[in-house]
Amino acid sequence: MGNVLVISDIHGRPFWKKPIDDIISGKVSIDEIVFTGDYFDPYYPEGISEYDAIINWFELLQTVKSNLSQMRYTFLLGNHDCSYLNDIFLKNASSSRMSYHNFETLKGIFEDNRNLFRLAHEIKIDVTPPKSADEKYKKILFTHAGVNPNWYEKHKKLLGYEVSAKSLNSLTESNEGWVALSEIGYSRGGRYNTGSLLWADVSDNFYKDENGNIVPDYIPSVDYQIFGHTQQLENPIINDRFAMLDCRRAFVLTDKLEIIDYGEFKRMQENKS
């Protein structure tokens, strides 16, 4: 595995431009890009209009398609995106910032690019040397808001009793799947214990252990998760189970399995040259 650029929760912001421009100009070595969803529905106090967000999306899409066609890139869906994509999600789990004025335009964007988007993406990394006969690789799962054990236990039959990019992506193929994706947890004002991989708050990915300590939760079949959705004022939440990277800047999952701020990553690469 090489270096993976992770860009979370754009919401019309232009912070993707610098790292993408650096990749195009050859200033950094990146092998793959993962966008974790939520491209529209800007935060109005930031001074970004719905129109700005739409223009920002078309610029992003054109830049990637025109200049990075030989690179692997993945556009994941976020909760804000799915309101424009599916009627069940629109009815049960739409965001308070959903655009009514530009609804048809945004719906058209997702319909026209339906094959571009996924709910989940995974990377399997060889373990050298393997710790056991069963541990030949580590699986890193990318989604918008993370898969938490409570939601998985409730829907494991629907998922074929496994958490994988394939099983999660299959949820968009049925009404039952979209109903499961529409679940919003108590922490986000919903009526379920925890939210889906589109709506889970980062707090849904912690639990209280036998000693009363709050520790990161995990899915047995997944070694590590990377997601966004729960915006932080400054710094991401990174621990030994997951990385929640929604803080208005880009990050890199390095070939050494470290997650670092893109600015630091670029300085490290410059120092090597």
Side-chain angles (χ1 to χ4, degrees):
M1 184 202 83
N3 300 311
V4 181
L5 178 68
V6 185
I7 298 179
S8 173
D9 297 77
I10 290 176
H11 288 297
R13 304 173 181 118
F15 67 86
W16 59 269
K17 293 184 178 181
K18 180 58 176 173
I20 297 295
D21 286 347
D22 287 343
I23 295 171
I24 294 170
S25 61
K27 294 180 180 178
V28 293
S29 176
I30 295 290
D31 300 277
E32 183 173 351
I33 307 171
V34 179
F35 301 91
T36 69
D38 280 3
Y39 308 95
F40 305 100
D41 298 354
Y43 290 87
Y44 300 117
E46 295 181 3
I48 302 171
S49 70
E50 293 178 3
Y51 180 75
D52 293 333
I54 293 171
I55 296 300
N56 188 64
W57 161 255
F58 281 116
E59 184 178 353
L60 168 62
L61 184 61
Q62 183 62 35
T63 301
V64 170
K65 284 189 171 183
S66 298
N67 299 281
L68 302 174
S69 60
Q70 302 304 310
M71 176 177 286
R72 186 176 186 182
Y73 56 84
T74 302
F75 287 93
L76 298 181
L77 290 164
N79 60 304
H80 286 265
D81 309 318
C82 289
S83 295
Y84 305 110
L85 184 62
N86 180 266
D87 289 340
I88 292 174
F89 197 90
L90 172 64
K91 178 181 178 181
N92 297 314
S94 60
S95 167
S96 60
R97 297 199 314 280
M98 185 185 73
S99 173
Y100 292 94
H101 181 72
N102 291 295
F103 183 87
E104 292 301 324
T105 297
L106 294 168
K107 181 178 180 181
I109 287 173
F110 286 101
E111 289 178 346
D112 292 344
N113 296 281
R114 183 62 188 91
N115 293 332
L116 183 68
F117 295 102
R118 302 285 184 272
L119 281 174
H121 175 62
E122 67 182 45
I123 297 174
K124 293 181 179 179
I125 303 169
D126 292 335
V127 175
T128 307
K131 295 180 181 179
S132 67
D134 295 329
E135 189 182 16
K136 296 180 179 179
Y137 62 83
K138 288 186 178 294
K139 183 166 74 175
I140 299 177
L141 182 69
F142 298 81
T143 61
H144 177 64
V147 179
N148 63 82
N150 184 289
W151 182 84
Y152 167 67
E153 282 297 319
K154 182 177 180 180
H155 299 292
K156 60 185 178 182
K157 184 177 180 180
L158 182 63
L159 290 166
Y161 298 95
E162 72 164 349
V163 175
S164 67
K166 182 178 180 180
S167 67
L168 294 170
N169 286 325
S170 71
L171 295 176
T172 63
E173 299 171 5
S174 69
N175 289 342
E176 185 180 5
W178 277 108
V179 170
L181 291 169
S182 300
E183 293 185 0
I184 304 174
Y186 297 138
S187 58
R188 288 293 182 117
R191 57 191 180 92
Y192 298 93
N193 288 334
T194 58
S196 74
L197 67 147
L198 292 170
W199 260 110
D201 190 81
V202 68
S203 62
D204 293 343
N205 291 280
F206 288 91
Y207 74 101
K208 185 177 291 187
D209 68 11
E210 57 190 18
N211 297 316
N213 300 313
I214 304 299
V215 296
D217 215 334
Y218 66 98
I219 301 290
S221 60
V222 177
D223 295 293
Y224 202 76
Q225 294 197 67
I226 297 177
F227 52 89
H229 182 62
T230 304
Q231 183 172 241
Q232 303 298 294
L233 290 177
E234 293 185 13
N235 297 317
I237 298 174
I238 300 175
N239 53 54
D240 61 351
R241 294 295 185 183
F242 63 80
M244 200 296 300
L245 304 179
D246 182 7
C247 53
R248 301 169 300 284
R249 62 185 190 271
F251 291 83
V252 175
L253 171 64
T254 72
D255 53 8
K256 296 181 180 179
L257 301 185
E258 299 172 328
I259 298 176
I260 60 178
D261 181 278
Y262 173 74
E264 179 183 349
F265 172 79
K266 184 180 180 182
R267 288 191 292 273
M268 291 168 58
Q269 295 231 317
E270 289 173 341
N271 291 335
K272 288 181 179 179
S273 59

